[in-house]
Amino acid sequence: MCGIVGYIGHRNVVDILVKGLQSLEYRGYDSAGIAVVDYPEDKNSIKAPAVHIVKGVGKVADLKSMLDSSPVSGRQGIGHTRWATHGGVTEVNAHPHSDLSSKLVLVHNGIVENYRELRAELAAPAESYKSETDTEVIAQLLSTLYTKYGGEERPAMIEALVALHKRLRGSFALVIMAKDIPGKIYCLRKGSPLVVGFSGEGEALCASDVPAILPYTQDVVYLDDGDIAELSAEGMRFWNASGEEFEKNHVHIDWDVSMVDKGGYPHFMLKEINEQGAVLRSSMAKRLAEEGTVDLSAELPWTKEEACAWKRIHIVACGTSYYASLVAERFLETITDLDIRVDVASEYRYRNFPVGPDTLAVFVSQSGETADTLAAERLAKARGARCLAVTNVIGSTLAREVDDILQLKAGPEIGVAATKTFMGQMAVLYLLSLYIAKLRETLTGDYERTIGREMLALPYKVESILQQQEKIQKLAVLHSEARDFLFLGRGNSFPVALEGALKLKEISYIHAEAYAAGEMKHGPIALLDPRVPVVVVSPKDDLHEKTFSNILEAKARKAPVIAIASEGDASLDSTADNIFHVPVTLPLLSPFLTVTPLQLFAYYVAKILGCDIDQPRNLAKSVTVE
Ligand code: M6R
């Protein structure tokens, strides 16, 4: 949940580290720091290298101010932006950390579970540690191991890292510099993501995620569990967990640097909401033909026989990805005959469902690094299920572990609140559902084309909603003082209500609860009074009249009602206090249109309240710990 970056090359490292950390700040933003090693130009110099550590509480911008007032320089360095786990948000707990004799310095993402046991075992007295972190114990253990190894067979640091990997329990991505190994940076990964790249101009980089590396190279190497990398101005070398040197494949990333800046928008979230028409187009391209037929055979090598042998589909995810899965569940159950189960990964991994070779298990994750989703995937795989990842990040751990992948093709999402990837997930899951139904012959060609053609019209319809942002802005002004919201929806509008409430609470910190509209009278109705606005997702569909009854129930308690309705539907005009109309589409596809006003509503409320929209408190984009 932290962001780490390292650079070695011919330029002053400070700017590179700061920019890299800024691009990774979505991973954690309570404190930040860098370590820069300034080696003497003359390799024969006996002058000891100077290691400058600058760190503090706050954002990367605060770190930058510290560096502006007390500059440091060097051509090699590592940096970290933290999301606190072990120890409070303090300067001493901020990374980088050194061993007790300051022989080496390192940054860490993840959690080492046995750090207390290791600390007790290391000779150093407990009071000699400066911080409360597990990371400082790792630094001390590595230093002890490094001193022990002579490096006859392999460089001593590689021996030490192989041994360290065996001793640490938990998840970690580590980036290390040793004072007596000038010109080299070492990386070790288990569980937490780490990607490395070489620019071809004598510059090597490593980071938790590609945005930090993209300005220098689009060809990267993803480290696997147990991998060790050595970076230098000459290139990159790799060893596996047994200490054997090996070659690793490069992956070309088709994202470019312009995708990781705000492009003139005040926030990444607003930019990403506005990209949703384009996201729909790119996630459907080459998968959905003009006449509305779907073909995923280029990505999913499934035969009819295999698809017909599945008895069940499990869809597993967290947060927004889970809500996209709930939307897809309702579509899948309409067009296939499969037994469908959708669950949050943190529950799925500890339950006891029948899962085996007759199961297609679909794991939906924007980042592909969510710890619970990965654990659920490993469980399903161990039981013989066919595992498919629906992810935005092609080199992610999830993508590399599964049998099949469908990429969202949404481009990088930097705002911590997921928006455009929700849209991309729904699109890809709908295409997947159509494809499965086609293989299993539970769908007629006519029906497939009707849905497919209407899906192709969705980007234009989403864009027409985006052109009416002022209306949503006005709604946000009207309701920004409310402290509690209720979101309601039925059928496929229920997961949209869940997503709308999640967006509002994540970025505005307003309490928002979502309920299946029919459940309101089983409890939440007690909350209603004139201070609790009720947002009702009510497009024209078979359940519309039933939802209308719930609107009347809310009005009877004098709660203000904001309705998301279909264009041309006048039935709510005299009942709802405010109505936002979305274009008409097939009822099965309405979530693609009804979610956008809710994303914008959350954005504008948070903006009015002056919240930190792209980096909301306590959250991190990628939750790599359980
Ligand atoms: O990367 P993932 O899709 O696996 O992440 C899952 C959730 O952590 C994520 O959707 C989270 O709920 C977001 N903050 C939603 O805005």
Side-chain angles (χ1 to χ4, degrees):
M1 312 255 283
C2 306
I4 56 187
V5 62
Y7 170 91
I8 184 159
H10 50 81
R11 293 186 245 191
N12 182 6
V13 71
V14 174
D15 282 352
I16 294 169
L17 294 180
V18 168
K19 282 196 188 114
L21 290 179
Q22 273 164 339
S23 72
L24 296 176
E25 206 166 16
Y26 64 85
R27 303 179 63 86
Y29 31 84
D30 59 44
S31 39
I34 61 168
V36 173
V37 185
D38 193 10
Y39 292 103
E41 290 282 341
D42 174 6
K43 286 199 175 123
N44 301 319
S45 166
I46 50 160
K47 212 173 125 202
V51 180
H52 307 285
I53 298 181
V54 182
K55 60 183 185 176
V57 170
K59 298 207 162 192
V60 180
D62 301 305
L63 173 69
K64 189 170 182 311
S65 309
M66 287 163 73
L67 288 161
D68 287 344
S69 49
S70 319
V72 294
S73 66
R75 279 158 286 120
Q76 161 175 0
I78 58 180
H80 188 270
T81 176
R82 183 170 185 241
W83 189 87
T85 55
H86 291 56
V89 181
T90 61
E91 187 190 324
V92 277
N93 287 335
H95 299 215
H97 289 282
S98 297
D99 62 313
L100 300 177
S101 55
S102 301
K103 271 201 286 245
L104 53 87
V105 60
L106 59 79
V107 289
H108 166 219
N109 171 28
I111 288 180
V112 167
E113 287 155 8
N114 57 335
Y115 82 104
R116 273 180 294 212
E117 176 187 320
L118 294 170
R119 189 165 64 181
E121 188 186 299
L122 289 163
E127 59 279 9
S128 49
Y129 291 93
K130 295 187 197 82
S131 75
E132 302 154 85
T133 63
D134 48 350
T135 309
E136 203 182 354
V137 179
I138 305 173
Q140 183 56 19
L141 176 60
L142 179 60
S143 169
T144 311
L145 292 166
Y146 178 53
T147 312
K148 190 168 139 196
Y149 288 107
E152 279 119 34
E153 265 182 70
R154 289 174 278 265
M157 182 55 86
I158 304 300
E159 294 282 4
L161 288 169
V162 169
L164 182 74
H165 176 252
K166 290 192 184 125
R167 297 302 320 278
L168 302 181
R169 274 204 317 271
S171 68
F172 46 88
L174 296 169
V175 180
I176 305 128
M177 297 191 296
K179 247 190 193 172
D180 66 347
I181 319 180
K184 298 220 161 63
I185 291 180
Y186 292 92
C187 307
L188 171 64
R189 178 221 150 120
K190 185 186 160 203
S192 302
L194 205 49
V195 57
V196 298
F198 188 64
S199 79
E201 291 173 23
E203 296 172 295
L205 295 107
C206 59
S208 305
D209 199 358
V210 284
I213 296 188
L214 274 183
Y216 311 93
T217 179
Q218 284 176 276
D219 291 305
V220 301
V221 174
Y222 285 92
L223 298 192
D224 288 300
D225 281 353
D227 285 355
I228 296 166
E230 181 192 82
L231 312 182
S232 70
E234 285 76 50
M236 309 189 289
R237 293 172 69 186
F238 303 96
W239 289 263
N240 65 17
S242 319
E244 288 146 7
E245 190 166 1
F246 71 122
E247 297 287 322
K248 280 191 76 79
N249 290 336
H250 289 236
V251 176
H252 184 75
I253 305 293
D254 59 3
W255 294 352
D256 67 49
V257 195
S258 69
M259 290 170 153
V260 292
D261 75 32
K262 288 190 194 139
Y265 285 93
H267 297 99
F268 279 111
M269 183 180 177
L270 189 61
K271 177 188 177 219
E272 288 158 3
I273 291 173
N274 278 282
E275 284 172 350
Q276 293 185 111
V279 166
L280 281 174
R281 284 189 191 93
S282 86
S283 58
M284 294 190 292
K286 299 194 188 137
R287 291 167 171 165
L288 187 58
E290 232 171 277
E291 66 275 15
T293 52
V294 63
D295 184 3
L296 302 181
S297 59
E299 295 158 275
L300 304 176
W302 303 338
T303 60
K304 263 183 197 297
E305 292 65 39
E306 277 170 312
C308 290
W310 292 325
K311 291 203 180 82
R312 46 182 86 97
I313 297 194
H314 290 179
I315 311 182
V316 186
C318 301
T320 288
S321 303
Y322 170 63
Y323 298 149
S325 308
L326 289 178
V327 174
E329 178 187 28
R330 281 146 174 90
F331 185 57
L332 258 173
E333 70 194 14
T334 311
I335 63 167
T336 71
D337 54 350
L338 284 152
D339 177 16
I340 305 154
R341 193 183 280 272
V342 179
D343 205 357
V344 287
S346 54
E347 289 294 313
Y348 182 89
R349 62 185 290 193
Y350 297 114
R351 293 180 72 178
N352 194 18
F353 299 139
V355 47
D358 59 359
T359 313
L360 171 67
V362 183
F363 299 90
V364 185
S365 172
Q366 182 284 130
S367 61
E369 300 294 349
T370 301
D372 283 319
T373 309
L374 285 170
E377 180 269 325
R378 286 167 192 156
L379 181 143
K381 195 168 194 184
R383 297 205 189 154
R386 178 94 189 191
C387 293
L388 164 70
V390 173
T391 181
N392 200 29
V393 184
I394 205 66
S396 60
T397 308
L398 182 67
R400 284 175 299 130
E401 289 191 5
V402 289
D403 304 300
D404 307 294
I405 309 166
L406 284 175
Q407 198 192 358
L408 300 185
K409 305 193 176 169
E413 187 177 67
I414 311 287
V416 166
T419 52
K420 65 173 178 174
T421 53
F422 179 77
M423 192 63 82
Q425 285 167 343
M426 287 195 296
V428 169
L429 289 169
Y430 269 55
L431 296 178
L432 173 69
S433 308
L434 287 169
Y435 191 59
I436 291 171
K438 218 170 141 166
L439 288 175
R440 292 173 69 90
E441 296 178 3
T442 57
L443 178 79
T444 66
D446 275 353
Y447 195 39
E448 176 194 359
R449 283 188 291 276
T450 305
I451 296 171
R453 277 197 296 265
E454 186 55 25
M455 283 186 74
L456 291 169
L458 288 173
Y460 304 96
K461 296 187 178 186
V462 168
E463 280 157 0
S464 82
I465 296 171
L466 293 169
Q467 278 159 17
Q468 303 174 58
Q469 294 186 32
E470 274 174 28
K471 286 190 195 163
I472 306 278
Q473 227 168 328
K474 284 186 187 147
L475 280 181
V477 172
L478 280 176
H479 296 285
S480 62
E481 282 175 14
R483 293 292 86 208
D484 302 281
F485 276 82
L486 191 61
F487 283 67
L488 300 177
R490 283 177 184 260
N492 59 8
S493 294
F494 171 45
V496 174
L498 286 164
E499 176 59 6
L502 180 69
K503 286 290 88 79
L504 187 64
K505 66 187 142 201
E506 278 189 304
I507 61 164
S508 73
Y509 318 138
I510 293 175
H511 169 233
E513 280 195 55
Y515 266 86
E519 276 290 293
M520 182 175 71
K521 57 175 104 46
H522 298 286
I525 198 164
L527 296 171
L528 297 190
D529 69 23
R531 292 164 304 169
V532 182
V534 181
V535 179
V536 188
V537 185
S538 182
K540 205 79 175 133
D541 59 18
D542 291 350
L543 299 171
H544 184 262
E545 275 183 21
K546 304 212 177 284
T547 311
F548 183 65
S549 306
N550 304 122
I551 293 179
L552 293 175
E553 286 157 10
K555 281 311 307 167
R557 274 83 195 169
K558 299 193 170 45
V561 169
I562 306 165
I564 308 297
S566 301
E567 260 163 27
D569 174 15
S571 65
L572 308 179
D573 287 2
S574 54
T575 318
D577 298 83
N578 309 106
I579 305 178
F580 184 87
H581 288 104
V582 298
V584 173
T585 185
L586 297 173
L588 281 171
L589 300 180
S590 67
F592 290 89
L593 304 181
T594 49
V595 75
T596 304
L598 301 187
Q599 296 166 334
L600 287 166
F601 182 71
Y603 173 81
Y604 285 114
V605 169
K607 195 167 178 206
I608 292 163
L609 297 180
C611 299
D612 191 346
I613 291 176
D614 282 335
Q615 288 155 9
R617 71 183 182 203
N618 305 339
L619 296 179
K621 180 94 186 139
S622 170
V623 184
T624 54
V625 290
E626 188 176 356

